[in-house]
Amino acid sequence: MSKSYNNTISLREDPEVVSKKIRTMPTDTNRVRRTDPGDPEKCPVWQFHQVYSNDGIKAWVREGCTTAGIGCIECKQPVIEAVLKELAPIQERARAFTEDPGAVRAIISDGCEHARELARETMRDVREAMGLSYG
Ligand code: SF4
């Protein structure tokens, strides 16, 4: 996947855009018409099924694809639902931060202070180890 090829799905992508990207994904090139049988092994959508679908759905895809019993849009639907389901809690968490930039600034500021404190301690240890303690 590469952003320059516009074939990525970002974590905060709008669900409509995610659905569209998956709906328009390339499939097995032998399935030119709905009635042409395909081979999941030659289809990138199958890779998604490997990750997101249970055995029942995978068997349905294998059977439906190789017999032209299902269409590609139909086949992609469980993938769309699974990806959206996975993204939903991530997007919900992200939304809370986007709506409250003050909280984000506070988190960053706390992090910076913590890092400064750790750096101070580390430098103190280094000086002591090198016999450069000033007092
Ligand atoms: S039915 Fe599914 S696995 Fe088969 S070519 Fe279409 S999208 Fe790919």
Side-chain angles (χ1 to χ4, degrees), residues 27-28 31 38-40 43 45-46 49 61 64-65 70-72 75-76:
T27 61
D28 176 3
R31 289 209 77 181
D39 178 358
C43 177
V45 178
W46 181 240
H49 278 297
V61 171
C65 181
I70 58 171
C72 293
C75 176
K76 290 171 176 175

Side-chain angles (χ1 to χ4, degrees), residues 15-35:
E16 258 315 302
V17 177
V18 174
S19 304
K20 188 172 173 213
K21 281 185 173 176
I22 299 173
R23 268 200 312 272
T24 54
M25 264 180 76
T27 61
D28 176 3
T29 48
N30 286 326
R31 289 209 77 181
V32 180
R33 288 174 296 270
R34 165 68 178 78
T35 48

Side-chain angles (χ1 to χ4, degrees), residues 3-133:
K3 199 170 182 190
S4 57
Y5 289 115
N6 195 30
N7 63 358
T8 57
I9 292 172
S10 72
L11 293 176
R12 291 198 289 141
E13 200 129 60
D14 184 82
E16 258 315 302
V17 177
V18 174
S19 304
K20 188 172 173 213
K21 281 185 173 176
I22 299 173
R23 268 200 312 272
T24 54
M25 264 180 76
T27 61
D28 176 3
T29 48
N30 286 326
R31 289 209 77 181
V32 180
R33 288 174 296 270
R34 165 68 178 78
T35 48
D36 294 332
D39 178 358
E41 299 297 336
K42 295 179 183 161
C43 177
V45 178
W46 181 240
Q47 303 298 319
F48 280 71
H49 278 297
Q50 302 281 22
V51 173
Y52 288 104
S53 300
N54 61 30
D55 289 345
I57 293 176
K58 284 190 269 192
W60 170 76
V61 171
R62 237 182 265 112
E63 166 72 15
C65 181
T66 53
T67 61
I70 58 171
C72 293
I73 295 289
E74 208 177 342
C75 176
K76 290 171 176 175
Q77 194 54 39
V79 171
I80 293 172
E81 284 165 20
V83 171
L84 292 180
K85 190 173 169 197
E86 185 176 50
L87 289 179
I90 298 168
Q91 297 191 337
E92 188 55 41
R93 284 196 67 201
R95 195 170 304 120
F97 289 119
T98 350
E99 287 169 2
D100 190 358
V104 176
R105 277 193 289 274
I107 291 167
I108 294 169
S109 167
D110 282 356
C112 288
E113 186 45 47
H114 185 60
R116 264 192 295 274
E117 184 56 37
L118 283 177
R120 267 194 293 270
E121 285 171 20
T122 304
M123 285 312 294
R124 197 180 53 229
D125 292 348
V126 169
R127 282 193 198 99
E128 273 175 23
M130 296 178 72
L132 295 173
S133 188

